[in-house]
Amino acid sequence: MRINCRTIARGVAEGEVLLTRDPISFLGNVDPHTGIVVEPQHELYGQSICGKVLVFPYGKGSTVGSYVIYQLFKNNVAPAAMINLESEPIVAVGAIISGIPLVDRLENDPFELLKSGDRIIVNSTGSFVEINKDQS
């Protein structure tokens, strides 16, 4: 199944979905050295975002969050790709400078289509997400 979306940062990545309905503040929620979510109140607390297709509604917090995304990339613990309901500048800039594919505004609600553990392809260059529904 192909789902059209808006491209924010170009690229193609395949990976396992890690989904949260909680917004993410990369400055404070995620350890830039390990890629582990360290905010105890966050739904993903204790989980690694490394190599995952990180699905979350939007980013929040300080503009330094863009640099934290870049640190994740430099430390080889960044997500493979990211999907937002609506991207905002902090996450967009971080993804762009790090070369992490980022999309938003999917034509279908990703929280209804996806679950953690699904394997998907994010082709932000082609403005689509590909979901293999045979895996369920």
Side-chain angles (χ1 to χ4, degrees):
M1 169 190 290
R2 263 191 192 191
I3 308 298
N4 294 320
C5 56
R6 180 175 73 156
T7 297
I8 304 296
R10 293 189 185 281
V12 178
E14 181 175 357
E16 184 179 303
V17 169
L18 182 62
L19 185 140
T20 179
R21 292 184 179 272
D22 291 347
I24 295 178
S25 170
F26 283 90
L27 179 64
N29 282 158
V30 181
D31 182 325
H33 302 289
T34 65
I36 294 174
V37 177
V38 295
E39 175 58 43
Q41 288 76 35
H42 199 278
E43 180 181 10
L44 297 180
Y45 177 67
Q47 296 185 58
S48 174
I49 65 171
C50 178
K52 306 290 187 186
V53 175
L54 185 59
V55 181
F56 60 107
Y58 53 87
K60 64 177 186 172
S62 168
T63 56
V64 176
S66 299
Y67 181 68
V68 174
I69 295 170
Y70 183 68
Q71 284 181 305
L72 289 162
F73 168 73
K74 293 298 278 183
N75 291 327
N76 297 310
V77 294
M82 296 186 283
I83 298 174
N84 294 149
L85 291 178
E86 183 78 30
S87 295
E88 43 63 54
I90 296 166
V91 173
V93 168
I96 292 166
I97 64 175
S98 303
I100 299 169
L102 171 63
V103 299
D104 72 354
R105 298 185 185 173
L106 276 67
E107 64 184 347
N108 300 90
D109 184 347
F111 294 106
E112 292 179 9
L113 289 173
L114 302 171
K115 63 183 182 309
S116 288
D118 286 348
R119 286 201 64 83
I120 66 171
I121 297 170
V122 176
N123 185 328
S124 55
T125 302
S127 299
F128 68 87
V129 173
E130 191 169 310
I131 304 166
N132 180 358
K133 292 313 267 185
D134 294 334
Q135 65 188 338
S136 300

